[in-house]
């Protein structure tokens, strides 16, 4: 009886602690979005500061276990990023992203581990663990800044794509290296490479299997909340399945997110469902980031940080230098071969932003906290990673805006965003007006009220149209944007039509939009 009572009290206490964490983290995150003075500071940094303040007054929230970090927090963060990464943008920039996410990780791990060992006195195997954790980039606040300031789509794609695949590779490297200090494995280049390929291959296979299976399943029904729930199940399901089969759960989540975001959501979800699912995942990522950064601040002691200050400073210098070498060096390689296999040419200004914007965040912290308790230097690794994350958020995160403006990389992007918003509003108002004009669909509404609403919408539509005309006159280059949006809209309509035909059973499988083929044939004929 006493045991049952103690377990009940323990569950009740843990639940209360979780609710406190939830309330504090979401309150701080909300304030950072609503209070003007706080908007300039990344909300993740505010959460860390509040967490540290709680730790300073000796208020400890929840003890984070490695399993909780890796299995609960990582899958939703990775899935949300993969869901929103558009394949068409990724395809245009695949080569530099691949270089950054593979060779970039190797450069980072080696370039951080040896300075930590040589100048910091760390055992090399432990230094490699800290370096693997620090090789995971997580520029959440930088991406938000890109969108707010209207940075180019290419910069957004390069930063997001690199971060997404970089995280997967970094975690795999970490999991391979973690057995060395524990004495459960030894480093052998051929064996390590074989294991690396196997682990990633299993992860990719699990992600593809679950992603395409769910894509075909969601074609059979149109239930938004069920489809939303299935995406959540797929994120955790891909992670668990891949891990149990000896593969990378992280890679599995990334792949299933990309498949569902680019294929499943097109053939199995209507536009309204896609919007519901996207909003849901945006909140989940915000929710998880809010909790993890608060808890990290709460877990770190200032005295512990000061004890490892020399290691933190070495790691900061190494991170900045290795990031510089990897971005500028690999961009040079990418640009050399861009004419043959990739259309992407990364300018020096863009390389500078990619270098300075390579922040470390929740993924690096999650990996560091997953270091087994059996490793004596675990706290040193956590302190090093936390110190670097704090530096990148506080120094690099807060100055990236000035770097963008100083390098003139914003350009006409704010006008492009304004144009896109005006066009969207114009389309919406036209649809509203068309519905209102169908008076037979509103038999119970007073005709005078219908007329008033119609005139109101017409006035708003005219105002938006006038603004669009002025914008096009002031910025003629926006006409090119309009043409591209029109071409893409036509293709999207055709693709949606095929998806509807598949759902109705009139097509067995999705087919490539005919307009793409026709455009390719026309281009060949013209050349």
């Amino acid at each position: 009886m006493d045991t049952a009572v103690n377990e009940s009290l323990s569950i009740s206490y843990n639940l209360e602690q979780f609710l406190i964490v939830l309330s504090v983290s979401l309150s701080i995150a909300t304030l950072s979005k609503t209070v003007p003075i706080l908007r300039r500071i990344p909300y993740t940094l505010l959460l860390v500061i509040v967490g540290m303040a709680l730790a300073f007054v000796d208020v400890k929230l929840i003890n984070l276990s490695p399993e909780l970090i890796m299995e609960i927090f990582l899958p939703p963060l990775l899935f949300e990023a993969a869901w929103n990464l558009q394949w068409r943008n990724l395809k245009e920039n695949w080569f530099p992203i691949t270089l950054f996410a593979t060779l970039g990780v190797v450069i980072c791990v080696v370039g951080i581990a040896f300075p930590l060992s040589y100048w910091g006195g760390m055992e090399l195997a432990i230094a490699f663990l800290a370096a693997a954790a620090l090789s995971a980039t997580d520029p959440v606040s930088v991406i938000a800044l890109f969108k707010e300031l209207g940075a180019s789509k290419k910069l957004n794609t390069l930063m997001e794509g690199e971060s997404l695949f970089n995280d997967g590779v970094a975690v795999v490297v970490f999991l391979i290296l973690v057995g060395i200090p524990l004495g459960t494995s030894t480093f052998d280049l051929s064996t390590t490479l074989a294991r690396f390929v196997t682990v990633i291959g299993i992860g990719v296979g699990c992600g593809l299997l679950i992603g395409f299976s769910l894509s075909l399943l969601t074609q059979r029904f149109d239930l938004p909340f069920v489809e939303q729930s299935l995406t959540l199940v797929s994120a955790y399901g891909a992670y668990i399945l891949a891990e149990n089969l000896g593969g990378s759960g992280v890679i599995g989540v990334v792949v299933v997110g990309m498949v569902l975001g680019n294929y499943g959501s097109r053939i199995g979800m209507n536009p309204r469902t896609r919007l519901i699912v996207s909003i849901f995942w945006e909140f989940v990522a915000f929710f998880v980031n809010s909790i993890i950064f608060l808890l990290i601040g709460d877990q770190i002691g200032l005295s512990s940080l000061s004890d490892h200050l020399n290691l933190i400073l070495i790691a900061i210098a190494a991170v900045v230098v290795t990031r510089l070498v990897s971005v500028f060096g690999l961009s040079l390689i990418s640009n050399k071969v861009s004419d043959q296999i990739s259309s992407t040419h990364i300018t020096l200004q863009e390389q500078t932003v990619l270098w300075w914007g390579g922040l470390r965040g929740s993924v690096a912290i999650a990996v560091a906290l997953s270091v087994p308790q059996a490793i004596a230097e675990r706290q040193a690794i956590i302190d090093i990673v936390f110190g670097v994350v704090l530096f990148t958020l506080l120094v690099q995160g807060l100055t990236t805006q000035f770097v963008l403006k100083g390098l003139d990389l914003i350009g006409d992007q704010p006008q492009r965003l304004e144009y896109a918003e005006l066009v969207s509003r114009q389309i919406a108002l036209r649809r509203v007006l068309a519905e209102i004009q169908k008076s037979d669909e509103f038999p119970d509404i007073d005709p005078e009220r219908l007329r008033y609403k119609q005139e109101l919408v017409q006035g708003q539509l005219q105002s938006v149209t006038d603004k669009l005309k002025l914008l096009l006159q002031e910025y003629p280059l926006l006409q090119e944007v309009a043409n591209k949006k029109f071409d893409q809209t036509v293709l999207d309509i055709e693709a949606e039509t095929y998806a509807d035909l598949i759902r109705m059973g009139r097509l067995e499988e999705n087919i490539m939009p005919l307009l793409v083929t026709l455009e390719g044939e026309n281009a060949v004929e013209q050349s």
Side-chain angles (χ1 to χ4, degrees):
M1 181 66 70
D2 289 340
T3 303
V5 171
N6 289 335
E7 288 180 357
S8 177
L9 289 174
S10 176
I11 292 172
S12 176
Y13 174 77
N14 288 332
L15 181 59
E16 288 176 3
Q17 292 295 95
F18 176 75
L19 290 177
I20 292 172
V21 172
L22 187 61
S23 301
V24 173
S25 60
L26 292 182
S27 297
I28 298 301
T30 302
L31 284 174
S32 72
K33 302 290 184 182
T34 54
V35 178
I37 244 177
L38 299 179
R39 286 181 187 173
R40 298 180 181 180
I41 305 175
Y43 81 95
T44 49
L45 179 58
L46 286 175
L47 288 163
V48 169
I49 293 171
V50 171
M52 291 179 69
L54 291 174
F56 184 74
V57 296
D58 202 26
V59 176
K60 286 294 179 183
L61 298 172
I62 297 174
N63 288 323
L64 296 177
S65 67
E67 294 77 14
L68 181 68
I69 289 291
M70 295 295 285
E71 297 180 10
I72 302 299
F73 289 152
L74 266 189
L77 287 176
L78 296 169
F79 185 93
E80 189 269 341
W83 169 272
N84 288 309
L85 189 62
Q86 293 185 0
W87 173 250
R88 68 169 68 103
N89 296 333
L90 185 63
K91 187 168 61 174
E92 293 173 359
N93 302 280
W94 72 270
F95 186 65
I97 287 174
T98 302
L99 286 178
F100 293 151
T102 52
L103 292 180
V105 170
V106 174
I107 292 171
C108 186
V109 171
V110 174
I112 295 173
F114 281 102
L116 281 175
S117 177
Y118 184 79
W119 285 299
M122 291 187 78
E123 184 184 339
L124 191 57
I126 302 299
F128 267 106
L129 281 187
L134 287 172
S135 65
T137 59
D138 189 26
V140 175
S141 54
V142 171
I143 295 298
L145 186 64
F146 281 0
K147 293 175 181 177
E148 179 184 339
L149 295 178
S152 69
K153 184 181 292 185
K154 181 172 72 171
L155 261 179
N156 271 283
T157 303
L158 287 171
M159 188 71 82
E160 282 189 300
E162 180 211 353
S163 175
L164 183 61
F165 293 104
N166 160 293
D167 290 346
V169 173
V171 172
V172 172
V173 170
F174 174 84
L175 293 175
I176 290 174
L177 294 175
V178 76
I180 296 175
L182 290 173
T184 58
S185 64
T186 57
F187 182 80
D188 176 77
L189 185 59
S190 58
T191 304
T192 301
L193 285 176
R195 186 182 172 197
F196 180 81
V197 172
T198 302
V199 168
I200 288 184
I202 293 173
V204 170
C206 292
L208 290 175
L209 175 65
I210 293 178
F212 282 110
S213 298
L214 281 183
S215 298
L216 297 174
L217 178 63
T218 52
Q219 284 184 319
R220 310 301 176 192
F221 50 79
D222 183 20
L223 300 169
F225 292 111
V226 172
E227 294 173 74
Q228 173 182 290
S229 301
L230 286 174
T231 60
L232 187 62
V233 170
S234 72
Y236 286 105
Y239 185 91
I240 293 170
L241 179 63
E243 288 290 322
N244 286 335
L245 292 178
S248 168
V250 171
I251 296 294
V253 174
V254 169
V255 172
V256 78
M258 288 189 63
V259 170
L260 291 177
N262 289 276
Y263 177 74
S265 65
R266 290 288 179 184
I267 70 164
M269 300 180 185
N270 61 42
R272 176 172 169 270
T273 302
R274 282 204 303 272
L275 180 62
I276 290 173
V277 175
S278 296
I279 292 173
F280 166 74
W281 277 105
E282 186 177 352
F283 169 74
V284 169
F286 172 76
F287 176 83
V288 172
N289 266 314
S290 299
I291 291 177
I292 193 170
F293 276 98
L294 177 71
L295 290 178
I296 292 311
D298 183 61
Q299 296 280 309
I300 300 298
L302 293 178
S303 59
S304 181
L305 283 178
S306 62
D307 291 341
H308 299 107
L309 185 59
N310 63 319
L311 291 173
I312 292 172
L313 293 176
I314 292 170
I316 289 172
V319 164
V320 172
V321 172
T322 54
R323 178 71 181 173
L324 185 147
V325 171
S326 66
V327 168
F328 284 89
L330 296 177
S331 294
L332 180 63
I333 296 173
S334 175
N335 289 341
K336 288 285 186 183
V337 298
S338 61
D339 294 336
Q340 284 75 31
I341 61 176
S342 173
S343 60
T344 300
H345 184 89
I346 309 173
T347 65
L348 283 175
Q349 293 94 327
E350 290 168 337
Q351 292 174 39
T352 303
V353 173
L354 290 172
W355 161 56
W356 195 245
L359 276 60
R360 270 60 173 176
S362 53
V363 176
I365 292 170
V367 173
L369 284 173
S370 70
V371 174
Q373 299 280 355
I375 294 179
E377 297 84 351
R378 179 177 186 270
Q379 189 60 47
I381 294 174
I382 293 174
D383 289 341
I384 290 169
V385 173
F386 180 81
V388 172
V389 168
L390 197 60
F391 171 83
T392 60
L393 284 174
L394 183 60
V395 178
Q396 293 176 271
L398 292 179
T399 56
T400 300
Q401 178 175 354
F402 304 107
V403 174
L404 276 169
K405 290 181 177 178
L407 295 173
D408 196 26
L409 284 175
I410 298 175
D412 64 349
Q413 290 301 315
Q415 287 75 37
R416 289 178 179 239
L417 288 176
E418 183 184 358
Y419 173 79
E421 290 172 2
L422 287 171
V423 168
S424 301
R425 183 155 173 74
Q426 186 184 54
I427 293 171
L429 288 171
R430 282 175 177 169
R431 291 183 180 178
V432 171
L433 186 60
E435 290 298 319
I436 291 176
Q437 288 173 340
K438 298 175 184 177
S439 56
D440 56 324
E441 293 190 8
F442 304 98
D444 301 329
I445 304 300
D446 179 49
E448 191 63 32
R449 181 173 180 79
L450 274 175
R451 188 160 47 251
Y452 165 74
K453 282 288 185 183
Q454 182 174 334
E455 291 174 357
L456 180 64
V457 174
Q458 283 175 332
Q460 293 174 337
L461 181 58
Q462 187 60 50
S463 174
V464 170
T465 303
D466 291 341
K467 288 179 181 178
L468 273 172
K469 287 180 180 178
L470 288 173
L471 199 60
L472 284 171
Q473 288 173 3
E474 189 174 355
Y475 301 96
L477 288 177
L478 289 176
Q479 189 61 54
E480 181 185 348
V481 179
N483 294 337
K484 287 182 179 179
K485 283 187 176 295
F486 171 75
D487 293 340
Q488 190 56 55
T489 300
V490 171
L491 291 175
D492 286 344
I493 291 171
E494 186 184 4
E496 289 288 345
T497 303
Y498 294 145
D500 289 338
L501 290 173
I502 290 172
R503 280 192 288 268
M504 291 186 292
R506 295 174 63 181
L507 269 181
E508 292 298 325
E509 58 182 11
N510 199 14
I511 60 177
M512 182 182 294
L514 299 179
L515 289 178
V516 174
T517 307
L518 292 175
E519 284 181 358
E521 291 174 355
N522 290 338
V524 171
E525 289 175 3
Q526 290 172 5
S527 62

